[in-house]
Amino acid sequence: MKRAFAYVAEFDSAAAIYHAAEQVRDAGYKKWDVHTPYPVHGMDHAMGLGKSWLSGVVLCGGLTGFCTALFLQFFTQVDLYPTVVQGKPTNLNTVPAFFPVTFELTILFSAFAVLFGLLAFVMLPRWNHPLFGSKKFARFSDDGFILVIEARDAKFQEADTKEFLLSTGASGVELVEEEF
Amino acid sequence: MSAIKSVDNLPNDGEKFDSSKVALVKGISLILGGGLTALFFILWLFLPGQMQQSMAYSWLFAVVFFMTLSIGGIFWTLLHHATNSGWGVVVRRLMETLGSLIPLYFILALPLLLPGPRDALWEWFEARQEMIQAGKDHSSPEHLEAAKAEWGQSVAAAEKKLAAVKAKKEKESATATATAGEKYNLEQQVIAAEGKLEVAKASEPTAEELASEGQLHANVGLYKKRGYLNEVFWYARYVGYFLVLGGIIYFLRSWSIKQDQTGDFRYFRWMRRGSCGFLPLFAASWTFVVVDWLMALDYTWFSTMWGVYLFAGSALNSMAILIAALTWLRSRGFLKDVVSMEHYHIMGKLMFSFVVFWAYIAFSQFFLIWYANITEETKFYLTRNTAYWNAYAIGFLVIGHFFLPFAGMLLRRVKTVPYVLTGIALWNLCMHVLDIYWIIIPERGPSLTQGKEMVIPGAIYFDILAFVAVGGLTVFLFLSRLAKASLYPCQDPRLEESLNLVN
C-alpha cells in the first residue's frame, strides 16, 4: 500500500527558493522544509522559523553537569571522607579546588545535551526516509534548491498544494509516496 | 530580512559627526577633565607627604583604567583587519578613534616618572639605590685593602705549598728506593700546586667584583633582575611602548581615513597585511606595560598570566564602551542608517565571550597560585584577602564581574535589544573599574606604611577625583577626534557586506 508523503518542488536559484519560502510561510503551512546545497542567509526568517528550544535542553544539561560535579566532590571529599590536600581546608573554602572538574563536567554534559537533544528533535537515528526515493530530492546535494511540503500538514491537499507550489515559481514538482 | 541595503543609497563622503549636537556633553567633559586635573595636580603639590604618595596610586589607577579602553580599541581594530572581518566595518571607526587616544595617556602618565611618585609606586627604585649603595660600601678602599691583603696571603700560601712539594720531590728522587709510580705521583703533585698558584695569582680582587658581591648579598632578587629593572631601560621602555602602540593605531587610522577620501582599495590591503604584523608587537607592548606598571608595584611578585589577564579585561572593557558609545551616538541621531540590531548582536556575543575569557584567566591565575602555595607567589592574594578586600573580590569580581553578566547574557534576546545590552555593558564597565582598582589600590596601604595599615584614610576621594578628571579628558578627546572623519569608513570595500549583516 502506498500513500502520498510529500511534494518535492525544485527551484532554480537561492533567490527563487527564498521568495517561495516566504510565500509558503504566509500560506500557513507548518510541516515543510527547505534543502539547499549551501546555507542561505536569512532563510530561517523567510521560513518563519522561531527560536530553537535546543538551547533550553543545553542549559538543563549544563546545570546538571555543574550540580553533579559539585555534589560528587563535596559529598566525597568534604562530607563523607574529609580529604586534606596541600593543607587546604575541607569546608566551603575548598570550593576553588573543585572548579576545574565542575567546569569540565558542565561542558561535557552540555555537549551530551546538544548531541542527544538534537538527535531527539530531528528524530534520528532511523533506517530510511521516504524522500530518499526521490531523484529530484537527491539533487539538493548538488545544484538543486528543494522545497518539501509534507502530507501530514493540515493544509495539504494533493491538487491545491501542487498548483500552489507551481505558482511560487517551482521549475518542477514531484509527488513522493511512502509505503505503509 | 528586509530589502538589501546598498551603499549607493549612502552619501559618498560618509556621515559627518556634528559636534554641536553633543556640545553640552563635550563642554562638561572638558570642564570636568581640565578643571579636576588642574585641581588634582595643585593638591598633589601641596598636600603632606603620605597623602602625596598615595595620590600617585590614585593617578596610576585612573590612567591605567582609561588606557585599557584605548588598548582594547587598538586590539579590536587589529583583530578586525587581521581576520578580514566584514561584520564590523560600520563600527570600525569608533574602534579606531578609541585606540587613537593613546597619546593622551603618554602625557597623563608622565608625572608618574618623576622621582617622588615613581618611588612611592615602585619600591624597586629605592631598593635599587640601597642595593647600589651596599655595593659601594662593600667595595670601599678599606674593604678593597682588606680583600687584597687576604688575596696576598692566599698567593703566599700557594707559593709555600709549591716550594714544599718541589723540595719533597728533590728528596725522593735522590734516593734510589723510589719506584716509578711514586715518582709519577710526585710529578703530578707539583703540577697541581703550580696550577693552584696560577689561579690564586689571577684572582686579584677588583672594586667591580666587590661591588657586585655586595649588591648580590644586599638584595639577591633585584640583583638577578638588574638587566631588566634599571632606570635607563625602564624609561626607554616607557617611550618604546607608546611609540609602538601609538604607531600601530596611527597607521591604521590614517590609512582608513585616506581610503575614505580617495576610495583607493590599496589601503584596505595595507591595513590587512599590516595588522598581521602589528598584532605580536601590540601583544608584547601591552604585556610589558602592565608588567612594568602594575606587576612591578611589588617587584618581588610575579605571575606569568599577568599580561593575558589585563588584556582580557581591556578587550571586554572596550567592547562594553563601544556598545555604550554606539547606543548614545544613535540616540543623538548618528549612525542610524548603517547600524542594525545584527551589529549589536555580534558585539553582545563578543562581550559575552570576553566576560567568560576574563573569568577563565582570572580564575586560572588565582587557582594556580592558591593551589601551589609558594610564598613568593601567594603574597599578591594574601594582601587582597586581608580586611575587606576579601569580600570585595568575591562580591564584585567573582559574582559581579562574572556570574551576573554571564547569566544575564545567556539569552539571545538580551543581546539583540540595544538598551538592555547597553545596560549590561555599563555594568561590565563598572565591574572592570573595580577590577583595576583591586589590582592597584590594595598595594597602597601596606606599601606606604611599611605594612602597618591596609588603608590610607581619605585616599579614596582622590581616587574618585583622579578617575573623573582622566575620564573627562578621555571623553572630550574622543568626541573631538570623532569629528575629524566620517563616522564609518564610507569607502571600505566590505561596507555593503556589513550593512546587510545577518547573524
Side-chain angles (χ1 to χ4, degrees), chain A residues 39-98:
Chain A
V40 177
H41 272 303
M43 185 55 94
D44 52 345
H45 187 72
M47 288 174 70
L49 293 179
K51 193 184 158 299
S52 159
W53 279 102
L54 193 59
S55 56
V57 177
V58 178
L59 181 68
C60 294
L63 285 176
T64 311
F66 182 83
C67 297
T68 310
L70 273 188
F71 170 74
L72 268 181
Q73 292 175 97
F74 253 101
F75 181 61
T76 56
Q77 296 186 41
V78 175
D79 190 47
L80 192 65
Y81 192 92
T83 313
V84 176
V85 180
Q86 285 253 321
K88 299 285 185 282
T90 52
N91 54 33
L92 196 62
N93 292 328
T94 329
V95 79
F98 301 154

Side-chain angles (χ1 to χ4, degrees), chain B residues 11-13 259-265 488-493 495:
Chain B
N12 221 8
D13 56 349
Q259 183 171 262
D260 276 9
Q261 291 155 354
T262 62
D264 191 348
F265 289 171
Y488 56 88
C490 51
Q491 295 295 331
D492 196 281
L495 180 57

Side-chain angles (χ1 to χ4, degrees), chain A residues 18 22 41-42 44-45 51 59 66 85-86 88 93-94 96-97 99-100 103, chain B residues 1-2 356 360 363 366-367 370-373 398 403 410-413 502-503:
Chain A
Y18 183 90
E22 286 176 330
H41 272 303
D44 52 345
H45 187 72
K51 193 184 158 299
L59 181 68
F66 182 83
V85 180
Q86 285 253 321
K88 299 285 185 282
N93 292 328
T94 329
F99 268 26
F103 175 69
Chain B
M1 188 181 168
S2 50
V356 178
Y360 183 81
F363 176 74
F366 166 75
F367 180 71
W370 175 75
Y371 212 80
N373 211 1
V398 179
F403 279 106
L410 268 179
L411 277 180
R412 171 177 162 172
R413 274 186 64 82
V502 176
N503 263 291

Side-chain angles (χ1 to χ4, degrees), chain B residues 171-438:
Chain B
K171 200 175 143 198
E172 289 288 320
S173 52
T175 62
T177 54
T179 63
E182 279 167 351
K183 280 181 182 166
Y184 177 76
N185 274 345
L186 282 168
E187 192 66 37
Q188 289 303 309
Q189 282 177 26
V190 171
I191 292 171
E194 278 172 344
K196 275 184 183 159
L197 181 61
E198 288 296 312
V199 171
K201 275 182 178 165
S203 61
E204 181 179 356
T206 62
E208 288 79 42
E209 277 170 17
L210 283 182
S212 303
E213 197 181 87
Q215 289 183 7
L216 176 73
H217 289 166
N219 193 337
V220 62
L222 200 53
Y223 180 77
K224 297 278 182 190
K225 293 176 187 171
R226 69 192 184 286
Y228 186 81
L229 289 184
N230 62 63
E231 288 86 352
V232 178
F233 192 27
W234 192 80
Y235 283 111
R237 283 201 303 270
Y238 179 87
V239 177
Y241 297 145
F242 283 98
L243 278 180
V244 171
L245 294 170
I248 289 172
I249 198 64
Y250 170 78
F251 283 121
L252 289 178
R253 187 175 146 89
S254 57
W255 287 338
S256 179
I257 291 173
K258 268 186 202 146
Q259 183 171 262
D260 276 9
Q261 291 155 354
T262 62
D264 191 348
F265 289 171
R266 197 173 44 160
Y267 296 112
F268 172 74
R269 288 200 298 276
W270 285 4
M271 287 188 282
R272 175 152 160 56
R273 285 183 195 154
S275 293
C276 299
F278 290 154
L279 262 175
L281 286 175
F282 163 80
S285 304
W286 178 236
T287 301
F288 284 100
V289 169
V290 297
V291 166
D292 275 4
W293 293 9
L294 305 181
M295 202 161 97
L297 286 172
D298 178 353
Y299 70 94
T300 58
W301 181 76
F302 52 87
S303 161
T304 48
M305 298 179 88
W306 195 244
V308 167
Y309 176 47
L310 267 294
F311 156 73
S314 311
L316 163 66
N317 210 10
S318 92
M319 191 42 81
I321 197 79
L322 282 170
I323 292 171
L326 189 62
T327 305
W328 181 71
L329 287 173
R330 278 168 59 84
S331 76
R332 297 295 165 110
F334 300 109
L335 292 166
K336 281 266 184 206
D337 302 332
V338 292
V339 175
S340 70
M341 297 313 109
E342 302 288 340
H343 298 104
Y344 273 101
H345 192 184
I346 288 201
M347 291 167 87
K349 284 193 274 192
L350 285 171
M351 186 166 75
F352 178 70
S353 66
F354 269 85
V355 163
V356 178
F357 184 62
W358 175 89
Y360 183 81
I361 297 299
F363 176 74
S364 301
Q365 179 174 271
F366 166 75
F367 180 71
L368 294 175
I369 289 175
W370 175 75
Y371 212 80
N373 211 1
I374 299 170
T375 319
E376 305 92 294
E377 292 179 352
T378 49
K379 60 204 303 184
F380 179 84
Y381 287 104
L382 275 181
T383 314
R384 285 156 185 77
N385 270 343
T386 312
Y388 58 77
W389 289 115
N390 185 27
Y392 180 104
I394 292 173
F396 290 136
L397 301 186
V398 179
I399 295 170
H401 203 316
F402 173 63
F403 279 106
L404 291 183
F406 176 80
M409 281 193 286
L410 268 179
L411 277 180
R412 171 177 162 172
R413 274 186 64 82
V414 168
K415 283 169 277 191
T416 52
V417 183
Y419 282 103
V420 178
L421 191 65
T422 306
I424 296 176
L426 291 175
W427 171 266
N428 281 338
L429 270 178
C430 294
M431 287 304 124
H432 200 256
V433 174
L434 296 175
D435 183 31
I436 300 286
Y437 195 75
W438 178 82

Side-chain angles (χ1 to χ4, degrees), chain B residues 17 19 22-34 97 101 104-105 468-484:
Chain B
F17 180 64
S19 298
V22 294
L24 185 67
V25 176
K26 216 174 151 182
I28 290 175
S29 62
L30 178 63
I31 293 166
L32 274 183
T97 309
L101 302 182
L104 174 69
Y105 306 107
V468 178
V470 178
L473 289 177
T474 301
V475 170
F476 173 75
L477 195 68
F478 180 73
L479 293 179
S480 313
R481 301 213 62 136
L482 213 50
K484 293 258 159 57

